[in-house]
Amino acid sequence: MTTATVAELAESQQTLIDARLDTIDRMLLGHVSRADRITIVSEVEAQIQELLGAKVGDEASREDVIDALRRLDPPEAYLPDSAERNSSQHRVGRFSSQQPMRQRNVGRVGWIGGVLGLFSFGWILLWGLIVVLAQGATATVFLVGLMTMIPPLGFAIGAAALVCSIRGRSQGVLPILGIGFGAISLQFWLLLAGYLLIA
Amino acid sequence: MNSWETQLRKGVAELAVLAVIAQEETYGYRIVEKLQNLDGLALSESTVYPVLTRLTRGGLLAVRTDASPAGPTRRYYRLTPLGRRSLGELTATWQKVFGSLKTLLEGVPS
């Protein structure tokens, strides 16, 4: 019995396969551990090779690859649906490991970090507005009081935004924005504090 | 396939996968092939592979890798003692659920 070899693949065919595997990997990102993600993707890759290896001859054409990919589930099928997330806490096979609830909490923390980051940036703009108003205002004491209160609050909000956003950075765009704006906010208030100390 | 049916099949996926592996040590794609060809289950790779990794992580399955005729490495799965116990418990639960439902449905006027 002859041993079939790995189907010979041109670069373009391999690119098609890699694109599908990368998409599945992205669907799994944040929902399963890295080790599990690697294993699942490698199993899919092995399945594709098995499907291609079943073709006559050693060379797989582009149509063979497309046909093999068409026989697979779409990448979206790897997204855990809400029912699966709910059932992870009431799993029939209780001996198996459960999806950590902290996945959902990390998402929430990241969202909070993003919102705080945007808020901290707005806080900088607010402080600037109050500085302008304080130049020729009558309620100087009130405005000066606000000017001295806002920087520490702004620093605290910026720090909270940065911490929460870093914690939830894998959960979307908002935490990334939170990291950016939180960092800007912290730098601004630190520079301001340095300037006031020197001046 | 409606949503209830999909969820029902996914709900028994672990039991089905353990049952296939209990028959003999086997690899991922072979498990998918067996389960896909069963009309009442029709479980595909997007369900089976995550279940396999979950069961492995939970200690119910042991894995060894070996080269395959097709070329890429195959992961061969077999039940651990914990997996065999778990299969027994899941089977008992399934039979209890199935028996109760069967009784209920027998009482439903046709």
Side-chain angles (χ1 to χ4, degrees):
Chain A
M1 188 174 79
T2 59
T3 304
T5 60
V6 175
E8 295 290 329
L9 292 172
E11 198 175 321
S12 63
Q13 279 106 292
Q14 188 60 52
T15 302
L16 280 175
I17 294 173
D18 290 345
R20 172 61 68 95
L21 296 176
D22 287 343
T23 307
I24 293 172
D25 189 64
R26 277 197 297 278
M27 291 293 158
L28 293 168
L29 185 64
H31 299 292
V32 299
S33 68
R34 184 171 177 273
D36 284 358
R37 216 169 72 236
I38 290 170
T39 302
I40 292 168
V41 171
S42 71
E43 285 281 18
V44 176
E45 184 175 20
Q47 179 171 341
I48 294 171
Q49 283 294 340
E50 299 267 359
L51 291 170
L52 293 175
K55 299 288 177 184
V56 176
D58 287 345
E59 282 208 17
S61 67
R62 186 179 165 83
E63 286 69 35
D64 292 332
V65 170
I66 291 171
D67 184 54
L69 295 179
R70 198 177 288 131
R71 292 168 63 179
L72 300 178
D73 286 340
E76 302 76 48
Y78 290 87
L79 276 174
D81 53 32
S82 58
E84 259 189 55
R85 272 193 230 112
N86 288 338
S87 73
S88 72
Q89 285 118 57
H90 307 286
R91 196 169 291 288
V92 171
R94 63 180 180 275
F95 292 114
S96 63
S97 301
Q98 295 179 1
Q99 187 91 351
M101 277 298 291
R102 68 173 184 267
Q103 289 277 359
R104 209 180 301 175
N105 290 336
V106 165
R108 201 171 291 136
V109 168
W111 184 86
I112 291 170
V115 170
L116 283 175
L118 291 168
F119 190 67
S120 69
F121 189 73
W123 205 251
I124 295 171
L125 301 175
L126 176 66
W127 185 83
L129 179 65
I130 291 177
V131 166
V132 168
L133 289 174
Q135 301 299 322
T138 53
T140 312
V141 170
F142 173 71
L143 288 170
V144 168
L146 272 182
M147 279 170 60
T148 52
M149 274 169 55
I150 285 178
L153 275 173
F155 183 85
I157 294 171
L162 198 57
V163 168
C164 292
S165 299
I166 289 172
R167 185 80 176 80
R169 66 190 180 281
S170 64
Q171 302 298 321
V173 173
L174 197 54
I176 305 294
L177 286 176
I179 290 173
F181 284 124
I184 291 170
S185 177
L186 280 181
Q187 283 178 32
F188 177 83
W189 297 118
L190 283 171
L191 284 170
L192 180 67
Y195 172 77
L196 291 173
L197 281 172
I198 294 169
Chain B
M1 192 187 299
N2 64 46
S3 174
W4 176 80
E5 202 174 336
T6 304
Q7 294 311 317
L8 180 63
R9 290 171 194 218
K10 285 189 175 179
V12 297
E14 283 189 11
L15 175 55
V17 167
L18 287 172
V20 169
I21 298 173
Q23 294 168 21
E24 60 174 349
E25 184 189 57
T26 186
Y27 57 98
Y29 179 50
R30 176 63 63 206
I31 298 170
V32 171
E33 269 190 318
K34 282 194 176 178
L35 293 175
Q36 253 178 344
N37 290 334
L38 294 169
D39 274 346
L41 287 175
L43 297 172
S44 56
E45 69 275 2
S46 64
T47 300
V48 172
Y49 293 148
V51 167
L52 283 172
T53 58
R54 204 160 56 233
L55 293 175
T56 305
R57 194 165 17 92
L60 280 73
L61 299 177
V63 182
R64 68 173 180 89
T65 55
D66 204 354
S68 79
T73 304
R74 275 180 186 164
R75 292 167 61 86
Y76 286 85
Y77 299 89
R78 67 179 187 281
L79 289 190
T80 63
L82 178 62
R84 263 185 281 279
R85 276 204 307 280
S86 182
L87 175 60
E89 295 209 3
L90 291 178
T91 304
T93 302
W94 166 255
Q95 284 168 345
K96 203 187 304 183
V97 169
F98 177 75
S100 298
L101 267 176
K102 189 165 177 285
T103 304
L104 266 176
L105 292 170
E106 279 168 358
V108 172
S110 55

